[in-house]
Amino acid sequence: MTDKPPAGGLPPDHLEELFTPPARRSANLTRILSPVRPVAPTEPAEPIGAEDDDNNTVAEPIEPARTPASTRTEAADPAVTPAPEPERPSASKASTGGRRLIIVYMPASQREWLRRAAVGATQLDVVLDAVEQAEMAGELSQAIADAYQPETGGLFERPRASRGSRAHVQVSLSMLQSHVEVLDRLVAQHGAPDRSALVRAALDHARTHSRKHA
Amino acid sequence: MDSHELVQLRTSLSRVLAIGNGKGGSYKTTLAANLAGLAADSGMRVLVADLDPQGNLSEELGLTQTGRDENGGEALFDAIARGKPLSPSHPNVRDNLDLVAADQINTAALASWLSSTMGGNRDAVFALARALQPVADQYSLIVLDLPPGNEPLIKAAMTAAQYLVIPTQADISSIKGMRAMGRRFAEARAGDNPDLELLGIVAVGIPDAAKALRKDTIKAIQAAFGGNAPMFDTIIRHAIAPAVDARNRGLLVHELEAFVPTQAEALARLRERAAGADVERAVSSTAKKLAADFAGITEEIFAAIAQRESSA
């Protein structure tokens, strides 16, 4: 061993191996604050457009662009008196990217699963993947049928998703118009009661599928 | 607004964080962008909304640099003034990160609309809160980047937010801006948003080596709050090279960090330079320290939120 430094002005190339690359800066955040926002135990969002329990039907999905007056979204809009018509800035519609806010209803437990499944992806991605996988596997019809198979264990036959038995929360999804069209086509093709029903069935299918492969 | 609606509104908006200071250049936008970006990078779904007509959040996130910042404020204008459902002007500007952008025309028009409407209708102060409510459920966190001095927009934001963070520099003007924000906070709590909480003050833009200045700044902040300032421990350092590089490239600081040359690359550059080659300036290694600052303050802010949620 000699104290003499190695020849040459610069150290050898392999020195970088002595340095540890920085940790992912966001690595601790979800350990500090849960991605799932705590929800106060208030009454669940009531499915808009749902018929009475007597009819045993599930909520219809909201379509803000078509029927704004009947939607919760509309109800949540600024409840201010009609203000003077605002100065309209010169703005094009292109920036909205042809998206529509679609609200679907699902049980709170399914919404929580959706949120967890959306880590690293958007909730919309998870929903679209679920629908696509069920459809491509030829299992979407069966998934919808399973979801709406009447519960026959009790005295009265009741559909599973009646308002009284399973409260639903709303999930807003910013979809492309083409997404909405595909969903609507699948709703008609498979005889699902509405978009929400189709999405719930697809997510149930995906959840079951993911458990099998876990 | 009746009490039932107010409870629903507050429940929906329990994770809305406003970042404001009454003075420009106090790192509001940089903090909002980097905090939101880090949260999104962790897997949370995050919405960040720019309420400043200058629209600088679009630069922070790289939209201006790629010509995608036109009419960014249209979505919020339409949601509030036109009563349309709010949808992000720029969805997925990063993975899990949606942006409601601002611009000179639309956001200034929105401020005018709010100003005239608030004059005749007390309920109009809830306009932003109501616009956010239907989409809040999609997000783990909503971050509002406040303008320095646009009263109608600030009032609407203070009514929509659950939490407030005030970044401030060391100079007297920034401290004055912090005091102004403190007064607005007090007014909001005494008026339309008693649930609003001041999470804390972030000291920003102080060089790491300026130990005496750091002490003086902390002292000045404490003096402004009568010795009880809720201050975060992390101080965002003044690091001009990575700050400029990040904004010019449209990168968040933790993204810029990835471009800091490795030891081997740095040595290779030295060799090339020694051989007479014209080597492009590399991203300063200070980017790593600045990225650590933003990660540190984000963790502190998240811990403060978590602590409040657990004791709620």
Side-chain angles (χ1 to χ4, degrees):
Chain A
M1 184 71 112
T2 170
D3 290 332
K4 194 178 172 186
L10 295 171
D13 283 346
H14 66 269
L15 271 187
E16 76 277 9
E17 293 167 11
L18 299 175
F19 297 88
T20 312
R24 192 180 171 94
R25 295 292 180 194
S26 62
N28 293 329
L29 295 179
T30 51
R31 285 196 285 271
I32 296 169
L33 183 67
S34 167
V36 180
R37 203 160 46 90
V39 178
T42 54
E43 73 267 39
E46 209 168 275
I48 303 302
E51 295 179 26
D52 291 344
D53 285 347
D54 294 347
N55 293 333
N56 287 334
T57 56
V58 296
E60 289 296 322
I62 291 177
E63 297 183 40
R66 289 183 193 162
T67 56
S70 65
T71 67
R72 187 178 193 83
T73 306
E74 178 71 12
D77 286 337
V80 291
T81 52
E85 187 67 7
E87 279 291 314
R88 186 68 186 148
S90 60
S92 75
K93 292 287 165 197
S95 65
T96 56
R99 284 185 175 265
R100 288 173 55 187
L101 195 66
I102 299 298
I103 296 178
V104 295
Y105 293 93
M106 59 184 68
S109 60
Q110 192 173 48
R111 193 260 308 266
E112 292 311 312
W113 180 85
L114 175 60
R115 281 179 167 166
R116 283 194 297 273
V119 172
T122 65
Q123 291 187 23
L124 178 63
D125 287 336
V126 176
V127 167
L128 297 182
D129 285 349
V131 172
E132 189 168 276
Q133 281 165 15
E135 173 68 359
M136 298 306 278
E139 294 169 0
L140 190 53
S141 282
Q142 190 57 48
I144 293 167
D146 288 348
Y148 291 90
Q149 189 181 7
E151 291 178 345
T152 53
L155 198 57
F156 303 102
E157 186 177 281
R158 283 170 292 183
R160 285 187 174 186
S162 69
R163 264 175 64 186
S165 60
R166 290 177 78 179
H168 288 88
V169 294
Q170 62 182 35
V171 173
S172 312
L173 299 167
S174 174
M175 290 188 177
L176 291 172
Q177 179 60 29
S178 60
H179 296 152
V180 181
E181 285 165 7
V182 172
L183 281 186
D184 287 348
R185 182 170 56 74
L186 291 172
V187 166
Q189 184 181 328
H190 295 293
D194 50 47
R195 282 185 212 133
S196 289
L198 183 123
V199 168
R200 285 196 296 270
L203 289 176
D204 265 347
H205 177 271
R207 182 155 57 167
T208 309
H209 205 65
S210 67
R211 276 196 202 124
K212 282 178 185 169
H213 292 277
Chain B
M1 175 178 289
D2 64 46
S3 58
H4 178 69
E5 191 189 350
L6 198 56
V7 167
Q8 286 193 321
L9 201 64
R10 293 265 52 96
T11 303
S12 298
L13 304 179
S14 65
R15 283 260 185 101
V16 178
L17 170 68
I19 298 178
N21 182 311
K23 181 185 172 297
S26 50
Y27 287 47
K28 291 181 295 292
T29 303
T30 307
L31 179 58
N34 281 278
L35 181 145
L38 283 163
D41 191 55
S42 77
M44 294 185 181
R45 289 277 299 133
V46 181
L47 176 70
V48 60
D50 191 349
L51 301 179
D52 188 341
Q54 290 188 54
N56 292 140
L57 206 44
S58 297
E59 273 107 76
E60 295 281 351
L61 293 166
L63 299 173
T64 306
Q65 294 85 333
T66 51
R68 290 180 290 154
D69 62 337
E70 265 189 50
N71 296 324
E74 185 185 13
L76 195 59
F77 180 91
D78 280 350
I80 291 180
R82 297 269 177 185
K84 293 183 181 175
L86 176 64
S87 59
S89 61
H90 298 80
N92 290 314
V93 69
R94 298 288 192 280
D95 282 352
N96 297 318
L97 181 60
D98 292 346
L99 168 68
V100 172
D103 68 64
Q104 285 287 358
I105 297 171
N106 287 281
T107 312
L110 174 60
S112 300
W113 183 89
L114 281 171
S115 180
S116 63
T117 311
M118 280 176 183
N121 187 336
R122 265 190 49 75
D123 234 20
V125 76
F126 291 100
L128 174 62
R130 284 177 165 135
L132 291 171
Q133 186 182 21
V135 300
D137 198 40
Q138 292 181 52
Y139 299 102
S140 299
L141 181 69
I142 296 176
V143 181
L144 306 177
D145 176 24
L146 270 54
N150 193 317
E151 286 303 324
L153 284 167
I154 293 174
K155 268 190 185 174
M158 299 288 259
T159 310
Q162 177 74 28
Y163 303 113
L164 173 68
V165 166
I166 307 177
T168 184
Q169 295 206 59
D171 64 285
I172 188 169
S173 304
S174 296
I175 299 288
K176 199 169 143 190
M178 179 192 72
R179 286 174 183 273
M181 208 66 217
R183 277 195 297 275
R184 287 170 180 140
F185 165 73
E187 283 167 15
R189 267 184 74 98
D192 296 309
N193 191 0
D195 292 331
L196 182 65
E197 292 189 62
L198 176 59
L199 275 190
I201 315 293
V202 189
V204 299
I206 306 173
D208 190 40
K211 304 295 181 199
L213 184 58
R214 286 189 166 220
K215 274 187 185 169
D216 287 351
T217 305
I218 292 167
K219 207 186 284 181
I221 293 170
Q222 286 295 352
F225 281 83
N228 295 314
M231 280 201 69
F232 292 107
D233 292 333
T234 304
I235 293 176
I236 308 293
R237 77 192 60 218
H238 175 77
I240 189 70
V244 169
D245 279 347
R247 189 167 270 201
N248 287 351
R249 293 171 187 228
L251 294 173
L252 300 171
V253 180
H254 67 275
E255 296 167 340
L256 181 73
E257 182 185 18
F259 293 93
V260 173
T262 62
Q263 197 76 7
E265 287 163 350
L267 293 173
R269 282 169 168 275
L270 282 175
R271 288 192 187 95
E272 285 176 36
R273 195 168 287 157
D278 185 15
V279 182
E280 189 190 11
R281 181 176 65 83
V283 172
S284 164
S285 62
T286 318
K288 288 175 181 287
K289 293 176 178 171
L290 192 58
D293 288 349
F294 280 114
I297 193 63
T298 303
E299 288 181 8
E300 277 199 73
I301 289 171
F302 278 21
I305 293 174
Q307 192 262 327
R308 279 159 179 78
E309 287 181 351
S310 66
S311 60

